């Protein structure tokens, strides 16, 4: 079934010059990028994006990291896009992610893991509404 999902290239991925390589992998798979935006997230919007992690021990560090520099947000469309993008991204912990996945090839950290991908169609719609809201972008 054709779905859409959200992929975010996190501040570490942008700083390390991985935007092109990550988007290349998405397109090479046959998925379509239908919206693309570079922005620096406000603290409030980073907290909304990660609302399900509020209260966890890593929450503050995650929010500081996600607001530490620009991100790239992409809406991705294609057959079974939510699961397919998660397979391309790999597991959260870069140290455990298999080679061939984005995190497996480019991350060595559980927090600074280069990308985020929505984990369900419902979360994708919620997260797209947060990051593509013009009010979520702050000046550098
Ligand atoms: P992401 O897939 O964007 O979803 C939540 C994020 O929180 C995760 O990637 C990591 O960046 C971060 N995260 C998850 N678990 C931990 C942890 N144990 N320590 C630090 N950061 C974490």
């Amino acid at each position: 079934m054709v779905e859409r999902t959200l992929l975010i290239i996190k501040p570490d991925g942008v700083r390390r010059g991985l935007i092109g390589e990550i988007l290349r992998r998405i397109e090479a798979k046959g998925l379509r990028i239908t919206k693309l935006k570079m922005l620096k997230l406000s603290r409030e919007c980073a907290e909304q994006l990660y609302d399900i992690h509020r209260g966890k021990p890593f929450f503050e560090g995650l929010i500081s990291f996600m607001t530490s520099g620009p991100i790239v947000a992409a809406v991705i469309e294609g057959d079974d896009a939510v699961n397919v993008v998660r397979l391309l991204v790999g597991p959260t912990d870069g140290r455990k992610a298999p080679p061939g996945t984005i995190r497996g090839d480019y991350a060595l950290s559980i927090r600074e893991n280069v990308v985020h991908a929505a984990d369900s169609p419902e979360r994708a719609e919620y997260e797209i509404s947060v990051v593509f809201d013009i009010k979520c972008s702050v000046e550098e």
Side-chain angles (χ1 to χ4, degrees):
M1 194 179 64
V2 174
E3 286 176 343
R4 65 176 200 165
T5 190
L6 177 74
L7 176 78
I8 294 176
I9 304 174
K10 297 185 178 185
D12 58 334
V14 173
R15 275 193 285 270
R16 290 169 57 196
L18 294 172
I19 298 169
E21 171 60 19
I22 292 164
L23 297 181
R24 186 198 67 73
R25 289 182 181 215
I26 297 293
E27 292 192 311
K29 184 69 178 171
L31 294 159
R32 287 198 314 128
I33 298 165
T34 57
K35 271 184 154 194
L36 192 60
K37 181 181 176 185
M38 181 183 270
L39 72 152
K40 189 155 181 273
L41 271 180
S42 67
R43 187 176 179 87
E44 191 185 344
C45 290
E47 289 183 358
Q48 278 174 27
L49 178 69
Y50 282 118
D51 58 344
I52 49 172
H53 297 298
R54 198 185 291 273
K56 294 185 184 165
F58 60 82
F59 185 72
E60 274 308 316
L62 173 62
I63 299 304
S64 303
F65 165 53
M66 288 300 294
T67 55
S68 67
I71 63 166
V72 171
V75 175
I76 313 290
E77 271 186 32
D79 192 23
D80 205 14
V82 170
N83 282 322
V84 171
V85 170
R86 287 181 72 79
L87 286 173
L88 292 176
V89 160
T92 307
D93 188 343
R95 295 165 300 188
K96 297 182 183 145
T101 64
I102 294 169
R103 287 168 172 162
D105 290 348
Y106 297 111
L108 194 60
S109 162
I110 191 166
R111 175 186 296 145
E112 302 207 4
N113 57 0
V114 183
V115 278
H116 166 79
D119 67 5
S120 68
E122 295 71 31
R123 280 303 293 181
E125 292 311 311
Y126 169 75
E127 293 174 8
I128 289 167
S129 74
V130 172
V131 295
F132 282 91
D133 181 335
I134 194 144
K135 294 191 290 295
C136 271
S137 187
V138 295
E139 294 302 315
E140 280 296 277

